[in-house]
Amino acid sequence: MASLRDQLSGLVYSTEHGDTCPDCRQPVEECRCADAAEDERLSALDGIVRLRRETKGRKGKGVTLVEGVPLKTEELRTLAKALKKRCGTGGALKEGVIEIQGDQRDALQEELEKRGFKVKRAGG
């Protein structure tokens, strides 16, 4: 971790290039930090999609989490939209994890297997 002085002294704007990325110090148009993070996330996956029901921190309301889908962010967004439509409920995409409101594990497992993913139920 860089010192506080190094963190605060970084270039954020240049009259020559405009906005710059604080991580790689390249102009924002040339920055590849997001692509590198996406590639790192995808390489850490094992190819198995895990379905999990969670109520923790949700005042007893349950959601179904779909984790480990080996797709890029844009494709993941499209899949999340299709899954929400299939279940007829709301949901969200947060940090590569699709959240679908309610206990929808059966419908989601069927839909994901139909799309060619290897699905495993995890947790309770």
Side-chain angles (χ1 to χ4, degrees), residues 65-98:
L65 301 177
V66 181
E67 300 174 320
V69 181
L71 296 175
K72 295 254 185 209
T73 303
E74 289 303 317
E75 297 167 338
L76 203 56
R77 239 181 237 128
T78 305
L79 177 65
K81 185 175 180 179
L83 293 177
K84 291 188 296 186
K85 188 173 184 179
R86 165 77 164 79
C87 295
T89 62
L93 175 64
K94 297 179 182 175
E95 299 175 7
V97 178
I98 301 172

Side-chain angles (χ1 to χ4, degrees), residues 11-117:
L11 179 69
V12 291
Y13 187 83
S14 167
T15 55
E16 186 177 334
H17 302 290
D19 290 333
T20 60
C21 174
D23 295 329
C24 64
R25 308 264 193 247
Q26 296 291 321
V28 172
E29 295 81 29
E30 298 173 14
C31 177
R32 300 293 172 241
C33 295
D35 294 337
E38 183 74 14
D39 291 340
E40 185 178 327
R41 181 187 71 84
L42 288 174
S43 67
L45 300 176
D46 60 358
I48 298 174
V49 178
R50 288 175 173 78
L51 295 176
R52 180 166 61 104
R53 183 170 181 271
E54 184 177 277
T55 58
K56 190 174 186 179
R58 302 175 193 279
K59 298 181 183 175
K61 307 278 188 198
V63 296
T64 304
L65 301 177
V66 181
E67 300 174 320
V69 181
L71 296 175
K72 295 254 185 209
T73 303
E74 289 303 317
E75 297 167 338
L76 203 56
R77 239 181 237 128
T78 305
L79 177 65
K81 185 175 180 179
L83 293 177
K84 291 188 296 186
K85 188 173 184 179
R86 165 77 164 79
C87 295
T89 62
L93 175 64
K94 297 179 182 175
E95 299 175 7
V97 178
I98 301 172
E99 295 181 359
I100 305 291
Q101 293 175 351
D103 187 3
Q104 308 289 339
R105 289 178 288 183
D106 296 330
L108 291 173
Q109 184 172 5
E110 179 183 316
E111 182 68 23
L112 289 168
E113 286 174 346
K114 189 172 19 171
R115 291 175 181 256
F117 294 106

